Amino acid sequence: VLMWHVLQRGDRRPVWAKWVFMLEGINRALWAQHTLSKGSGPSVYEAYRRWADSFGLESPEATFAANGDAAALALEGAVKILVSGEALTVGDVPPTRDHLRALLRTAFDLERTGDVYSKENRQRTDALLPPELRLHERAGGGLLAPP
């Protein structure tokens, strides 16, 4: 990577940048996974898993809030990093255009209204996502598997 950096220092889009960013994303995700599972206790990691595996429909807010406001904010930050890292590591190939469409359709579906954690919104999310995008049994791939 250092040699790429030296040879492409004048380029606006160096070839190595994607790999450096991905490596940094994985490093941060590993830190977040450690923070949520070891540093904050199993209940925090379990609350994160429920939230991630439900596509955001089961809020971890009550569990996070039990640690105080400052800790809840830090845990929310770690959650965002970890879910991004899981997105980088899950599956064998990059997501297809159809997968991205399904995720965006689900995230911005107009029929998901009111309480985002309601039973109706959960059913709507399950109906919109294809089975291979439901991360329950494969969440985190091998790299970020639950401890």
Side-chain angles (χ1 to χ4, degrees), residues 64-103:
F64 289 5
N67 293 290
D69 289 344
L73 221 54
L75 291 169
E76 184 180 328
V79 159
K80 290 174 182 176
I81 292 169
L82 182 54
V83 80
S84 298
E86 286 185 346
L88 287 173
T89 63
V90 82
D92 299 326
V93 295
T96 66
R97 185 175 294 267
D98 289 338
H99 286 160
L100 293 174
R101 280 189 189 123
L103 288 169

PDB file of all heavy atoms in Angstrom, residues 64-103:
ATOM      1  N   PHE A  64     -29.396   0.552  26.048  1.00  0.00           N
ATOM      2  CA  PHE A  64     -28.328   1.554  25.980  1.00  0.00           C
ATOM      3  C   PHE A  64     -28.520   2.629  27.045  1.00  0.00           C
ATOM      4  O   PHE A  64     -27.568   3.062  27.684  1.00  0.00           O
ATOM      5  CB  PHE A  64     -28.281   2.199  24.596  1.00  0.00           C
ATOM      6  CG  PHE A  64     -27.771   1.297  23.503  1.00  0.00           C
ATOM      7  CD1 PHE A  64     -27.485  -0.042  23.728  1.00  0.00           C
ATOM      8  CD2 PHE A  64     -27.573   1.790  22.238  1.00  0.00           C
ATOM      9  CE1 PHE A  64     -27.022  -0.869  22.715  1.00  0.00           C
ATOM     10  CE2 PHE A  64     -27.102   0.978  21.214  1.00  0.00           C
ATOM     11  CZ  PHE A  64     -26.828  -0.352  21.457  1.00  0.00           C
ATOM     12  N   ALA A  65     -29.766   3.075  27.254  1.00  0.00           N
ATOM     13  CA  ALA A  65     -30.054   4.143  28.208  1.00  0.00           C
ATOM     14  C   ALA A  65     -29.741   3.733  29.641  1.00  0.00           C
ATOM     15  O   ALA A  65     -29.418   4.581  30.481  1.00  0.00           O
ATOM     16  CB  ALA A  65     -31.511   4.568  28.089  1.00  0.00           C
ATOM     17  N   ALA A  66     -29.785   2.440  29.919  1.00  0.00           N
ATOM     18  CA  ALA A  66     -29.486   1.960  31.270  1.00  0.00           C
ATOM     19  C   ALA A  66     -28.037   2.246  31.665  1.00  0.00           C
ATOM     20  O   ALA A  66     -27.695   2.230  32.849  1.00  0.00           O
ATOM     21  CB  ALA A  66     -29.760   0.458  31.372  1.00  0.00           C
ATOM     22  N   ASN A  67     -27.197   2.543  30.684  1.00  0.00           N
ATOM     23  CA  ASN A  67     -25.783   2.849  30.945  1.00  0.00           C
ATOM     24  C   ASN A  67     -25.524   4.342  31.107  1.00  0.00           C
ATOM     25  O   ASN A  67     -24.379   4.746  31.250  1.00  0.00           O
ATOM     26  CB  ASN A  67     -24.920   2.299  29.795  1.00  0.00           C
ATOM     27  CG  ASN A  67     -24.935   0.791  29.757  1.00  0.00           C
ATOM     28  OD1 ASN A  67     -24.384   0.143  30.617  1.00  0.00           O
ATOM     29  ND2 ASN A  67     -25.606   0.239  28.756  1.00  0.00           N
ATOM     30  N   GLY A  68     -26.568   5.167  31.049  1.00  0.00           N
ATOM     31  CA  GLY A  68     -26.407   6.617  31.152  1.00  0.00           C
ATOM     32  C   GLY A  68     -26.375   7.265  29.779  1.00  0.00           C
ATOM     33  O   GLY A  68     -26.125   6.608  28.771  1.00  0.00           O
ATOM     34  N   ASP A  69     -26.618   8.583  29.755  1.00  0.00           N
ATOM     35  CA  ASP A  69     -26.727   9.305  28.483  1.00  0.00           C
ATOM     36  C   ASP A  69     -25.438   9.284  27.673  1.00  0.00           C
ATOM     37  O   ASP A  69     -25.463   9.036  26.465  1.00  0.00           O
ATOM     38  CB  ASP A  69     -27.146  10.757  28.726  1.00  0.00           C
ATOM     39  CG  ASP A  69     -28.593  10.869  29.179  1.00  0.00           C
ATOM     40  OD1 ASP A  69     -29.341   9.887  29.020  1.00  0.00           O
ATOM     41  OD2 ASP A  69     -28.969  11.941  29.691  1.00  0.00           O
ATOM     42  N   ALA A  70     -24.309   9.559  28.314  1.00  0.00           N
ATOM     43  CA  ALA A  70     -23.034   9.605  27.587  1.00  0.00           C
ATOM     44  C   ALA A  70     -22.683   8.235  27.013  1.00  0.00           C
ATOM     45  O   ALA A  70     -22.273   8.120  25.859  1.00  0.00           O
ATOM     46  CB  ALA A  70     -21.921  10.105  28.499  1.00  0.00           C
ATOM     47  N   ALA A  71     -22.872   7.194  27.808  1.00  0.00           N
ATOM     48  CA  ALA A  71     -22.576   5.840  27.332  1.00  0.00           C
ATOM     49  C   ALA A  71     -23.539   5.442  26.219  1.00  0.00           C
ATOM     50  O   ALA A  71     -23.137   4.791  25.246  1.00  0.00           O
ATOM     51  CB  ALA A  71     -22.654   4.846  28.486  1.00  0.00           C
ATOM     52  N   ALA A  72     -24.806   5.828  26.338  1.00  0.00           N
ATOM     53  CA  ALA A  72     -25.792   5.495  25.302  1.00  0.00           C
ATOM     54  C   ALA A  72     -25.392   6.117  23.969  1.00  0.00           C
ATOM     55  O   ALA A  72     -25.507   5.483  22.918  1.00  0.00           O
ATOM     56  CB  ALA A  72     -27.181   5.964  25.716  1.00  0.00           C
ATOM     57  N   LEU A  73     -24.890   7.344  24.003  1.00  0.00           N
ATOM     58  CA  LEU A  73     -24.430   8.005  22.780  1.00  0.00           C
ATOM     59  C   LEU A  73     -23.228   7.282  22.182  1.00  0.00           C
ATOM     60  O   LEU A  73     -23.157   7.073  20.967  1.00  0.00           O
ATOM     61  CB  LEU A  73     -24.063   9.455  23.101  1.00  0.00           C
ATOM     62  CG  LEU A  73     -24.473  10.515  22.101  1.00  0.00           C
ATOM     63  CD1 LEU A  73     -25.950  10.462  21.809  1.00  0.00           C
ATOM     64  CD2 LEU A  73     -24.066  11.878  22.601  1.00  0.00           C
ATOM     65  N   ALA A  74     -22.287   6.887  23.023  1.00  0.00           N
ATOM     66  CA  ALA A  74     -21.106   6.150  22.556  1.00  0.00           C
ATOM     67  C   ALA A  74     -21.506   4.796  21.980  1.00  0.00           C
ATOM     68  O   ALA A  74     -20.976   4.357  20.956  1.00  0.00           O
ATOM     69  CB  ALA A  74     -20.112   5.971  23.704  1.00  0.00           C
ATOM     70  N   LEU A  75     -22.461   4.119  22.634  1.00  0.00           N
ATOM     71  CA  LEU A  75     -22.921   2.824  22.132  1.00  0.00           C
ATOM     72  C   LEU A  75     -23.630   2.978  20.789  1.00  0.00           C
ATOM     73  O   LEU A  75     -23.460   2.156  19.894  1.00  0.00           O
ATOM     74  CB  LEU A  75     -23.848   2.160  23.156  1.00  0.00           C
ATOM     75  CG  LEU A  75     -23.166   1.700  24.441  1.00  0.00           C
ATOM     76  CD1 LEU A  75     -24.207   1.300  25.482  1.00  0.00           C
ATOM     77  CD2 LEU A  75     -22.195   0.571  24.170  1.00  0.00           C
ATOM     78  N   GLU A  76     -24.394   4.052  20.640  1.00  0.00           N
ATOM     79  CA  GLU A  76     -25.058   4.295  19.359  1.00  0.00           C
ATOM     80  C   GLU A  76     -24.022   4.487  18.250  1.00  0.00           C
ATOM     81  O   GLU A  76     -24.179   3.989  17.140  1.00  0.00           O
ATOM     82  CB  GLU A  76     -25.956   5.523  19.450  1.00  0.00           C
ATOM     83  CG  GLU A  76     -26.741   5.781  18.186  1.00  0.00           C
ATOM     84  CD  GLU A  76     -27.638   7.001  18.296  1.00  0.00           C
ATOM     85  OE1 GLU A  76     -28.123   7.294  19.394  1.00  0.00           O
ATOM     86  OE2 GLU A  76     -27.841   7.650  17.253  1.00  0.00           O
ATOM     87  N   GLY A  77     -22.943   5.194  18.550  1.00  0.00           N
ATOM     88  CA  GLY A  77     -21.870   5.365  17.574  1.00  0.00           C
ATOM     89  C   GLY A  77     -21.222   4.042  17.212  1.00  0.00           C
ATOM     90  O   GLY A  77     -20.956   3.763  16.040  1.00  0.00           O
ATOM     91  N   ALA A  78     -20.971   3.202  18.214  1.00  0.00           N
ATOM     92  CA  ALA A  78     -20.362   1.892  17.967  1.00  0.00           C
ATOM     93  C   ALA A  78     -21.283   1.016  17.115  1.00  0.00           C
ATOM     94  O   ALA A  78     -20.826   0.279  16.247  1.00  0.00           O
ATOM     95  CB  ALA A  78     -20.040   1.208  19.296  1.00  0.00           C
ATOM     96  N   VAL A  79     -22.583   1.123  17.355  1.00  0.00           N
ATOM     97  CA  VAL A  79     -23.565   0.353  16.580  1.00  0.00           C
ATOM     98  C   VAL A  79     -23.500   0.737  15.099  1.00  0.00           C
ATOM     99  O   VAL A  79     -23.506  -0.122  14.226  1.00  0.00           O
ATOM    100  CB  VAL A  79     -24.984   0.594  17.151  1.00  0.00           C
ATOM    101  CG1 VAL A  79     -26.064   0.274  16.145  1.00  0.00           C
ATOM    102  CG2 VAL A  79     -25.174  -0.222  18.415  1.00  0.00           C
ATOM    103  N   LYS A  80     -23.414   2.017  14.821  1.00  0.00           N
ATOM    104  CA  LYS A  80     -23.355   2.468  13.425  1.00  0.00           C
ATOM    105  C   LYS A  80     -22.093   1.954  12.734  1.00  0.00           C
ATOM    106  O   LYS A  80     -22.128   1.581  11.567  1.00  0.00           O
ATOM    107  CB  LYS A  80     -23.424   3.988  13.376  1.00  0.00           C
ATOM    108  CG  LYS A  80     -24.792   4.513  13.753  1.00  0.00           C
ATOM    109  CD  LYS A  80     -24.818   6.015  13.843  1.00  0.00           C
ATOM    110  CE  LYS A  80     -26.206   6.491  14.272  1.00  0.00           C
ATOM    111  NZ  LYS A  80     -26.263   7.928  14.475  1.00  0.00           N
ATOM    112  N   ILE A  81     -20.993   1.929  13.468  1.00  0.00           N
ATOM    113  CA  ILE A  81     -19.738   1.419  12.900  1.00  0.00           C
ATOM    114  C   ILE A  81     -19.837  -0.081  12.657  1.00  0.00           C
ATOM    115  O   ILE A  81     -19.445  -0.585  11.605  1.00  0.00           O
ATOM    116  CB  ILE A  81     -18.559   1.764  13.823  1.00  0.00           C
ATOM    117  CG1 ILE A  81     -18.321   3.276  13.839  1.00  0.00           C
ATOM    118  CG2 ILE A  81     -17.295   1.024  13.384  1.00  0.00           C
ATOM    119  CD1 ILE A  81     -17.360   3.737  14.909  1.00  0.00           C
ATOM    120  N   LEU A  82     -20.373  -0.815  13.633  1.00  0.00           N
ATOM    121  CA  LEU A  82     -20.446  -2.267  13.498  1.00  0.00           C
ATOM    122  C   LEU A  82     -21.391  -2.685  12.383  1.00  0.00           C
ATOM    123  O   LEU A  82     -21.061  -3.581  11.601  1.00  0.00           O
ATOM    124  CB  LEU A  82     -20.857  -2.926  14.817  1.00  0.00           C
ATOM    125  CG  LEU A  82     -20.921  -4.453  14.801  1.00  0.00           C
ATOM    126  CD1 LEU A  82     -19.617  -5.069  14.309  1.00  0.00           C
ATOM    127  CD2 LEU A  82     -21.267  -4.978  16.187  1.00  0.00           C
ATOM    128  N   VAL A  83     -22.528  -2.062  12.273  1.00  0.00           N
ATOM    129  CA  VAL A  83     -23.464  -2.452  11.218  1.00  0.00           C
ATOM    130  C   VAL A  83     -22.859  -2.156   9.842  1.00  0.00           C
ATOM    131  O   VAL A  83     -23.051  -2.918   8.888  1.00  0.00           O
ATOM    132  CB  VAL A  83     -24.859  -1.816  11.426  1.00  0.00           C
ATOM    133  CG1 VAL A  83     -24.901  -0.381  10.968  1.00  0.00           C
ATOM    134  CG2 VAL A  83     -25.936  -2.631  10.733  1.00  0.00           C
ATOM    135  N   SER A  84     -22.074  -1.102   9.724  1.00  0.00           N
ATOM    136  CA  SER A  84     -21.374  -0.815   8.465  1.00  0.00           C
ATOM    137  C   SER A  84     -20.317  -1.878   8.184  1.00  0.00           C
ATOM    138  O   SER A  84     -20.163  -2.327   7.048  1.00  0.00           O
ATOM    139  CB  SER A  84     -20.710   0.558   8.530  1.00  0.00           C
ATOM    140  OG  SER A  84     -21.671   1.558   8.694  1.00  0.00           O
ATOM    141  N   GLY A  85     -19.596  -2.291   9.224  1.00  0.00           N
ATOM    142  CA  GLY A  85     -18.594  -3.343   9.059  1.00  0.00           C
ATOM    143  C   GLY A  85     -19.222  -4.662   8.660  1.00  0.00           C
ATOM    144  O   GLY A  85     -18.678  -5.393   7.827  1.00  0.00           O
ATOM    145  N   GLU A  86     -20.369  -4.974   9.233  1.00  0.00           N
ATOM    146  CA  GLU A  86     -21.059  -6.200   8.855  1.00  0.00           C
ATOM    147  C   GLU A  86     -21.472  -6.146   7.388  1.00  0.00           C
ATOM    148  O   GLU A  86     -21.393  -7.143   6.680  1.00  0.00           O
ATOM    149  CB  GLU A  86     -22.279  -6.433   9.740  1.00  0.00           C
ATOM    150  CG  GLU A  86     -21.905  -6.890  11.126  1.00  0.00           C
ATOM    151  CD  GLU A  86     -23.116  -7.241  11.981  1.00  0.00           C
ATOM    152  OE1 GLU A  86     -24.249  -6.889  11.595  1.00  0.00           O
ATOM    153  OE2 GLU A  86     -22.913  -7.856  13.021  1.00  0.00           O
ATOM    154  N   ALA A  87     -21.883  -4.979   6.940  1.00  0.00           N
ATOM    155  CA  ALA A  87     -22.261  -4.844   5.536  1.00  0.00           C
ATOM    156  C   ALA A  87     -21.067  -5.111   4.619  1.00  0.00           C
ATOM    157  O   ALA A  87     -21.227  -5.655   3.531  1.00  0.00           O
ATOM    158  CB  ALA A  87     -22.825  -3.448   5.276  1.00  0.00           C
ATOM    159  N   LEU A  88     -19.868  -4.764   5.074  1.00  0.00           N
ATOM    160  CA  LEU A  88     -18.668  -5.027   4.272  1.00  0.00           C
ATOM    161  C   LEU A  88     -18.288  -6.496   4.251  1.00  0.00           C
ATOM    162  O   LEU A  88     -17.664  -6.967   3.310  1.00  0.00           O
ATOM    163  CB  LEU A  88     -17.474  -4.230   4.824  1.00  0.00           C
ATOM    164  CG  LEU A  88     -17.469  -2.730   4.592  1.00  0.00           C
ATOM    165  CD1 LEU A  88     -16.305  -2.088   5.345  1.00  0.00           C
ATOM    166  CD2 LEU A  88     -17.384  -2.418   3.113  1.00  0.00           C
ATOM    167  N   THR A  89     -18.641  -7.239   5.300  1.00  0.00           N
ATOM    168  CA  THR A  89     -18.137  -8.611   5.421  1.00  0.00           C
ATOM    169  C   THR A  89     -19.150  -9.692   5.113  1.00  0.00           C
ATOM    170  O   THR A  89     -18.773 -10.852   4.982  1.00  0.00           O
ATOM    171  CB  THR A  89     -17.595  -8.872   6.840  1.00  0.00           C
ATOM    172  OG1 THR A  89     -18.655  -8.742   7.784  1.00  0.00           O
ATOM    173  CG2 THR A  89     -16.471  -7.929   7.181  1.00  0.00           C
ATOM    174  N   VAL A  90     -20.428  -9.373   5.024  1.00  0.00           N
ATOM    175  CA  VAL A  90     -21.424 -10.413   4.836  1.00  0.00           C
ATOM    176  C   VAL A  90     -21.496 -10.830   3.371  1.00  0.00           C
ATOM    177  O   VAL A  90     -21.312 -10.027   2.477  1.00  0.00           O
ATOM    178  CB  VAL A  90     -22.806  -9.970   5.367  1.00  0.00           C
ATOM    179  CG1 VAL A  90     -23.542  -9.115   4.360  1.00  0.00           C
ATOM    180  CG2 VAL A  90     -23.648 -11.145   5.768  1.00  0.00           C
ATOM    181  N   GLY A  91     -21.704 -12.099   3.137  1.00  0.00           N
ATOM    182  CA  GLY A  91     -21.844 -12.595   1.777  1.00  0.00           C
ATOM    183  C   GLY A  91     -20.519 -12.875   1.098  1.00  0.00           C
ATOM    184  O   GLY A  91     -19.456 -12.556   1.609  1.00  0.00           O
ATOM    185  N   ASP A  92     -20.622 -13.481  -0.062  1.00  0.00           N
ATOM    186  CA  ASP A  92     -19.429 -13.867  -0.801  1.00  0.00           C
ATOM    187  C   ASP A  92     -19.068 -12.892  -1.913  1.00  0.00           C
ATOM    188  O   ASP A  92     -17.945 -12.863  -2.379  1.00  0.00           O
ATOM    189  CB  ASP A  92     -19.634 -15.258  -1.427  1.00  0.00           C
ATOM    190  CG  ASP A  92     -19.882 -16.312  -0.375  1.00  0.00           C
ATOM    191  OD1 ASP A  92     -19.306 -16.187   0.721  1.00  0.00           O
ATOM    192  OD2 ASP A  92     -20.641 -17.252  -0.638  1.00  0.00           O
ATOM    193  N   VAL A  93     -20.018 -12.135  -2.387  1.00  0.00           N
ATOM    194  CA  VAL A  93     -19.778 -11.203  -3.480  1.00  0.00           C
ATOM    195  C   VAL A  93     -20.409  -9.861  -3.128  1.00  0.00           C
ATOM    196  O   VAL A  93     -21.248  -9.786  -2.231  1.00  0.00           O
ATOM    197  CB  VAL A  93     -20.386 -11.720  -4.802  1.00  0.00           C
ATOM    198  CG1 VAL A  93     -19.697 -12.988  -5.261  1.00  0.00           C
ATOM    199  CG2 VAL A  93     -21.871 -11.961  -4.675  1.00  0.00           C
ATOM    200  N   PRO A  94     -20.012  -8.801  -3.826  1.00  0.00           N
ATOM    201  CA  PRO A  94     -20.670  -7.513  -3.569  1.00  0.00           C
ATOM    202  C   PRO A  94     -22.167  -7.625  -3.806  1.00  0.00           C
ATOM    203  O   PRO A  94     -22.624  -8.467  -4.581  1.00  0.00           O
ATOM    204  CB  PRO A  94     -20.023  -6.580  -4.595  1.00  0.00           C
ATOM    205  CG  PRO A  94     -18.748  -7.233  -4.974  1.00  0.00           C
ATOM    206  CD  PRO A  94     -18.982  -8.717  -4.838  1.00  0.00           C
ATOM    207  N   PRO A  95     -22.958  -6.774  -3.165  1.00  0.00           N
ATOM    208  CA  PRO A  95     -24.405  -6.832  -3.368  1.00  0.00           C
ATOM    209  C   PRO A  95     -24.760  -6.524  -4.814  1.00  0.00           C
ATOM    210  O   PRO A  95     -24.092  -5.745  -5.483  1.00  0.00           O
ATOM    211  CB  PRO A  95     -24.952  -5.754  -2.425  1.00  0.00           C
ATOM    212  CG  PRO A  95     -23.802  -4.879  -2.111  1.00  0.00           C
ATOM    213  CD  PRO A  95     -22.571  -5.703  -2.260  1.00  0.00           C
ATOM    214  N   THR A  96     -25.809  -7.149  -5.271  1.00  0.00           N
ATOM    215  CA  THR A  96     -26.274  -6.900  -6.632  1.00  0.00           C
ATOM    216  C   THR A  96     -27.094  -5.617  -6.655  1.00  0.00           C
ATOM    217  O   THR A  96     -27.519  -5.106  -5.614  1.00  0.00           O
ATOM    218  CB  THR A  96     -27.154  -8.057  -7.126  1.00  0.00           C
ATOM    219  OG1 THR A  96     -28.348  -8.082  -6.324  1.00  0.00           O
ATOM    220  CG2 THR A  96     -26.444  -9.396  -7.041  1.00  0.00           C
ATOM    221  N   ARG A  97     -27.367  -5.152  -7.834  1.00  0.00           N
ATOM    222  CA  ARG A  97     -28.222  -3.972  -7.987  1.00  0.00           C
ATOM    223  C   ARG A  97     -29.615  -4.256  -7.398  1.00  0.00           C
ATOM    224  O   ARG A  97     -30.220  -3.401  -6.761  1.00  0.00           O
ATOM    225  CB  ARG A  97     -28.312  -3.599  -9.461  1.00  0.00           C
ATOM    226  CG  ARG A  97     -29.061  -2.319  -9.730  1.00  0.00           C
ATOM    227  CD  ARG A  97     -29.021  -1.947 -11.202  1.00  0.00           C
ATOM    228  NE  ARG A  97     -27.687  -1.616 -11.646  1.00  0.00           N
ATOM    229  CZ  ARG A  97     -27.184  -0.384 -11.673  1.00  0.00           C
ATOM    230  NH1 ARG A  97     -27.933   0.611 -11.273  1.00  0.00           N
ATOM    231  NH2 ARG A  97     -25.963  -0.163 -12.106  1.00  0.00           N
ATOM    232  N   ASP A  98     -30.100  -5.486  -7.576  1.00  0.00           N
ATOM    233  CA  ASP A  98     -31.407  -5.861  -7.018  1.00  0.00           C
ATOM    234  C   ASP A  98     -31.394  -5.822  -5.494  1.00  0.00           C
ATOM    235  O   ASP A  98     -32.369  -5.410  -4.871  1.00  0.00           O
ATOM    236  CB  ASP A  98     -31.833  -7.242  -7.510  1.00  0.00           C
ATOM    237  CG  ASP A  98     -32.209  -7.242  -8.986  1.00  0.00           C
ATOM    238  OD1 ASP A  98     -32.542  -6.149  -9.521  1.00  0.00           O
ATOM    239  OD2 ASP A  98     -32.167  -8.318  -9.604  1.00  0.00           O
ATOM    240  N   HIS A  99     -30.286  -6.267  -4.882  1.00  0.00           N
ATOM    241  CA  HIS A  99     -30.177  -6.212  -3.421  1.00  0.00           C
ATOM    242  C   HIS A  99     -30.217  -4.770  -2.940  1.00  0.00           C
ATOM    243  O   HIS A  99     -30.907  -4.448  -1.967  1.00  0.00           O
ATOM    244  CB  HIS A  99     -28.884  -6.869  -2.951  1.00  0.00           C
ATOM    245  CG  HIS A  99     -28.909  -8.349  -3.041  1.00  0.00           C
ATOM    246  ND1 HIS A  99     -27.760  -9.098  -3.059  1.00  0.00           N
ATOM    247  CD2 HIS A  99     -29.923  -9.235  -3.125  1.00  0.00           C
ATOM    248  CE1 HIS A  99     -28.067 -10.373  -3.140  1.00  0.00           C
ATOM    249  NE2 HIS A  99     -29.374 -10.481  -3.179  1.00  0.00           N
ATOM    250  N   LEU A 100     -29.469  -3.910  -3.598  1.00  0.00           N
ATOM    251  CA  LEU A 100     -29.451  -2.504  -3.189  1.00  0.00           C
ATOM    252  C   LEU A 100     -30.824  -1.869  -3.351  1.00  0.00           C
ATOM    253  O   LEU A 100     -31.273  -1.114  -2.485  1.00  0.00           O
ATOM    254  CB  LEU A 100     -28.400  -1.739  -3.992  1.00  0.00           C
ATOM    255  CG  LEU A 100     -26.951  -2.148  -3.693  1.00  0.00           C
ATOM    256  CD1 LEU A 100     -25.998  -1.445  -4.647  1.00  0.00           C
ATOM    257  CD2 LEU A 100     -26.577  -1.864  -2.257  1.00  0.00           C
ATOM    258  N   ARG A 101     -31.502  -2.197  -4.431  1.00  0.00           N
ATOM    259  CA  ARG A 101     -32.866  -1.679  -4.632  1.00  0.00           C
ATOM    260  C   ARG A 101     -33.797  -2.145  -3.509  1.00  0.00           C
ATOM    261  O   ARG A 101     -34.588  -1.374  -2.979  1.00  0.00           O
ATOM    262  CB  ARG A 101     -33.411  -2.136  -5.976  1.00  0.00           C
ATOM    263  CG  ARG A 101     -32.920  -1.336  -7.131  1.00  0.00           C
ATOM    264  CD  ARG A 101     -33.695  -1.713  -8.405  1.00  0.00           C
ATOM    265  NE  ARG A 101     -33.085  -1.096  -9.544  1.00  0.00           N
ATOM    266  CZ  ARG A 101     -32.640  -1.743 -10.608  1.00  0.00           C
ATOM    267  NH1 ARG A 101     -32.770  -3.047 -10.691  1.00  0.00           N
ATOM    268  NH2 ARG A 101     -32.083  -1.100 -11.597  1.00  0.00           N
ATOM    269  N   ALA A 102     -33.713  -3.429  -3.158  1.00  0.00           N
ATOM    270  CA  ALA A 102     -34.577  -3.974  -2.103  1.00  0.00           C
ATOM    271  C   ALA A 102     -34.294  -3.297  -0.763  1.00  0.00           C
ATOM    272  O   ALA A 102     -35.226  -2.964  -0.020  1.00  0.00           O
ATOM    273  CB  ALA A 102     -34.384  -5.482  -1.990  1.00  0.00           C
ATOM    274  N   LEU A 103     -33.028  -3.084  -0.455  1.00  0.00           N
ATOM    275  CA  LEU A 103     -32.672  -2.423   0.805  1.00  0.00           C
ATOM    276  C   LEU A 103     -33.179  -0.986   0.832  1.00  0.00           C
ATOM    277  O   LEU A 103     -33.740  -0.533   1.842  1.00  0.00           O
ATOM    278  CB  LEU A 103     -31.159  -2.461   1.016  1.00  0.00           C
ATOM    279  CG  LEU A 103     -30.584  -3.822   1.368  1.00  0.00           C
ATOM    280  CD1 LEU A 103     -29.058  -3.789   1.287  1.00  0.00           C
ATOM    281  CD2 LEU A 103     -31.033  -4.262   2.749  1.00  0.00           C
TER     282      LEU A 103
END
